[in-house]
DNA sequence: TATGAATGAGAATTCATTCAT
DNA sequence: TATGAATGAATTCTCATTCAT
């Protein structure tokens, strides 16, 4: 019998190990040799787990979007007011800002590969992470869930491009203030999927 | 003297012609030969105008950020209420969505090159486009100008990655509603740099 | 003891199963993994039976040349006139044309490997199949045996390269006509090794 | 203006220079790097003239089949008896035996590539060299032209595989004897396209 | 015996750049 | 200025072979 290896587990391990470098350097600027070396395996072994370079990007994004949702949701405690939930999300993103920036960059790489001849389909399931996941975890409507996601993706992107330009914390707090003002003005009920959450505020 | 004018004008013409392909395919996936062919010149000629591939990216982003600001500002009429100004900006971005998506993508490429050994400095002036330009054109504070910019960059990015996910118009209108609600609640004065613009309320 | 019988029998089975693919694709274009997969064994097992890829080619040709001769000779009935014997050979080759084409191709591969550093010796015994075997089975002189063989190898080769060019049957019949005309003209006796076979033609 | 090079002439020069090695080592066993080195150019330059490795094989065979016919025909003098013409052909092949062996081997390579996915069409025009060209140059019928060609291809192949087995000269003379016997017996007229050639003997 | 994970040298091909014309 | 032939290091991917289990 051959060496016993949990193929899938090892694949994920490799993906996570190289996630950061891959995103920062960019799909096209990273070489299979470098990836292999960095992971401490031979190129042959790398190809044993990933048939093509593309498949690494594909699997990375898939893995990321899954961990993404679960991680964010886990950071939210039950039975807390809406503002706290939103702030919890915001803090979660701030803490993992680099990681979210990685996802933004890999998404661009993915988009570009997708448009190539022989490219692959966009990972539809990643879309749920953008918006629906947020909505679910906060109790907001899907539209507002996307609103939230869009802003924070924009924030992550902006700070990636211009690190010295703005403060994450300040813009995030501004967002929360603006957002909460709107929700209160409009009346919470309309914007919440689940009645009773954070209501009754005079 | 006329030579120099021609030279620069021709450079810009080349940059604009290939801008879209460059952004969509990505810095690393576009070859100098392809650029040359697409522009109808030889590689030798291309190198005559741009000493390296990097310099094309550099000049492209520079050109983009300049046209960006001027175009947006030009679309705003004087003496209009704040909401109209904001909507004018939003509409401008919607109409040129593809162009803004290109800038987002090229910015990522630029960021990545910047981090490389021998990479170049980030174009500082591009930052003004993000935020300060908006603030200036609308009369908002710099902080709110960035707030605006961040959201719309997020929106452009999101729709780039997930074209079928959300509507530009709907999310933009939602933003305007949220934003205006906040401005009205907080009192316009605090958020405007220039008194007297869009005032007279009450 | 029974192990060894199994071992060799299994080896031959593997060789025969993959003979055709090997010849058609070519020694260098076939991979050990493909061979293994096609045979339903692991690469490890394949290496258990054949220490190197070269050894597969070697054993294949050896096996082929043996079966070749025996098969052809078996197809010839005793005490038949020379023309019938020759035609029997011709028919045998026509029926197994693909098989003979395989041998032609593998022989080229073999020749090329032989010329390499570390290459192997030509299987001398295969030569007997070309010519001597035919001579023996038909009662012709060695020289005419080779003459026969040469023509039919040429025919197989030509049809391999240009399948739509000529008919096997027509050219074979032409050969027999030409050949028999010559034998009759020259006098059979001179061209036959064994007197008495197909004689009495006073 | 760029360096002035006669593209096609240089291509042919490269093809002829490497013809022999290519055939002997085999399509799959020769590397582009080796070809380039052997030709004294860089791999980049090699690719400048041949977009793929396949295209080298393709062009080589095409070039060969053309030179083949013209060379053979040129060696035949006008107004000579048929037997002399045939012998002239035979001598021509004997002198260039190595070269014909090369073509046989390359043809096999070609056939194998042709059968691959993405393979190319067989060079139809090469078929004319086999048979029709001979017929034309000797005045024989097409069928007998192919008969001739088939035998000599077989002879070349056989001597390639088993160099010590038979003599080219002996088998060639045997062929001529057999062939001429048949032609005389059948009556020349039937086998000649052009009346009057080499007839009326005795 | 049998398996298939692991290896790493080497394959075909690409590409930014140079430079003779 | 303009051309495109030439370069060669670097890229993705392959594959015969080994070996721990």
């Amino acid at each position: 019998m051959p060496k016993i290896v949990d193929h899938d587990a090892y694949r994920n391990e490799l993906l996570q190990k190289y996630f950061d470098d891959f995103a920062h350097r960019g799909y096209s600027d990273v070489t299979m040799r470098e990836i292999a070396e960095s992971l401490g395996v031979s190129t042959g072994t790398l190809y044993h787990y990933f048939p093509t370079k593309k498949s690494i990007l594909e699997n990375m994004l898939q893995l990321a979007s899954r961990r993404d949702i679960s991680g964010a949701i886990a950071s939210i405690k039950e039975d807390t007011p809406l503002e706290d939930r939103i702030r919890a999300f915001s803090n979660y993103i701030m803490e993992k800002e680099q990681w979210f920036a990685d996802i933004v960059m890999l998404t661009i790489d993915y988009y570009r590969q997708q448009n190539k001849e022989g490219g692959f389909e966009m990972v539809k399931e990643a879309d749920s992470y953008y918006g629906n996941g947020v909505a679910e975890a906060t109790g907001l409507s899907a539209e507002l869930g996307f609103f939230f996601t869009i802003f924070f993706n924009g924030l992550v992107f902006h700070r990636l491009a211009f690190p010295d330009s703005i403060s994450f914390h300040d813009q995030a707090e501004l967002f929360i203030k603006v957002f909460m003002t709107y929700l209160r003005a409009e009346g919470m009920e309309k914007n919440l999927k689940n009645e009773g959450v954070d209501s009754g505020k005079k």
Side-chain angles (χ1 to χ4, degrees), chain A:
Chain A
M1 260 167 268
K3 200 186 272 191
I4 288 163
V5 174
D6 185 333
H7 197 85
D8 287 353
Y10 194 52
R11 270 171 63 101
N12 287 348
E13 197 188 318
L14 295 177
L15 288 173
Q16 281 167 43
K17 265 193 197 170
Y18 204 69
F19 187 82
D20 195 62
D21 272 6
F22 207 82
H24 266 80
R25 309 260 311 280
Y27 175 76
S28 297
D29 284 355
V30 144
T31 74
M32 290 301 267
R33 193 158 7 233
E34 283 170 333
I35 297 175
E37 264 168 34
S38 176
L39 293 174
V41 298
S42 65
T43 58
T45 300
L46 186 58
Y47 274 91
H48 187 68
Y49 288 98
F50 301 97
T52 61
K53 194 183 174 188
K54 258 186 193 172
S55 76
I56 297 183
L57 175 57
E58 230 165 358
N59 283 287
M60 246 175 201
L61 265 182
Q62 210 148 51
L63 187 69
S65 66
R66 278 184 203 137
R67 289 209 314 161
D68 213 358
I69 293 171
S70 57
I73 291 170
S75 77
I76 302 206
K77 288 168 203 125
E78 301 241 336
D79 293 322
T80 47
L82 179 58
E83 184 169 340
D84 291 358
R85 286 171 177 241
I86 290 172
R87 184 168 285 108
F89 246 119
S90 167
N91 287 338
Y92 181 79
I93 296 167
M94 183 161 56
E95 274 163 32
K96 302 219 169 191
E97 186 179 1
Q98 194 54 75
W99 189 55
F100 281 87
D102 287 354
I103 293 177
V104 164
M105 289 188 285
L106 286 180
T107 302
I108 300 286
D109 281 335
Y110 198 77
Y111 169 77
R112 281 169 166 163
Q113 295 308 313
Q114 178 197 13
N115 286 352
K116 270 191 186 175
E117 189 190 18
F120 32 62
E121 290 285 299
M122 202 68 192
V123 181
K124 297 285 179 199
E125 83 186 272
D127 189 22
S128 69
Y129 136 70
Y130 287 111
N132 291 328
V134 174
E136 223 166 295
T138 53
L140 290 168
S141 69
E143 192 184 29
L144 288 172
F146 277 105
F147 187 82
F148 176 96
T149 304
I150 287 166
F151 180 83
F152 279 92
N153 268 329
L155 181 51
V156 164
F157 167 75
H158 192 101
R159 282 174 48 77
L160 179 67
F162 311 104
D164 305 329
S165 168
I166 52 172
S167 143
F168 189 104
H169 178 265
D170 291 353
Q171 282 286 337
E173 282 302 321
L174 177 58
F175 175 84
I176 294 171
K177 199 160 51 168
V178 170
F179 199 51
M180 291 310 297
T181 301
Y182 171 75
L183 292 182
R184 287 198 190 94
E186 288 292 298
M188 288 295 193
E189 315 77 37
K190 292 166 58 182
N191 297 300
L192 292 176
K193 284 194 313 192
N194 306 320
E195 217 66 29
V197 173
D198 189 24
S199 64
K201 285 271 153 71
K202 173 62 183 331

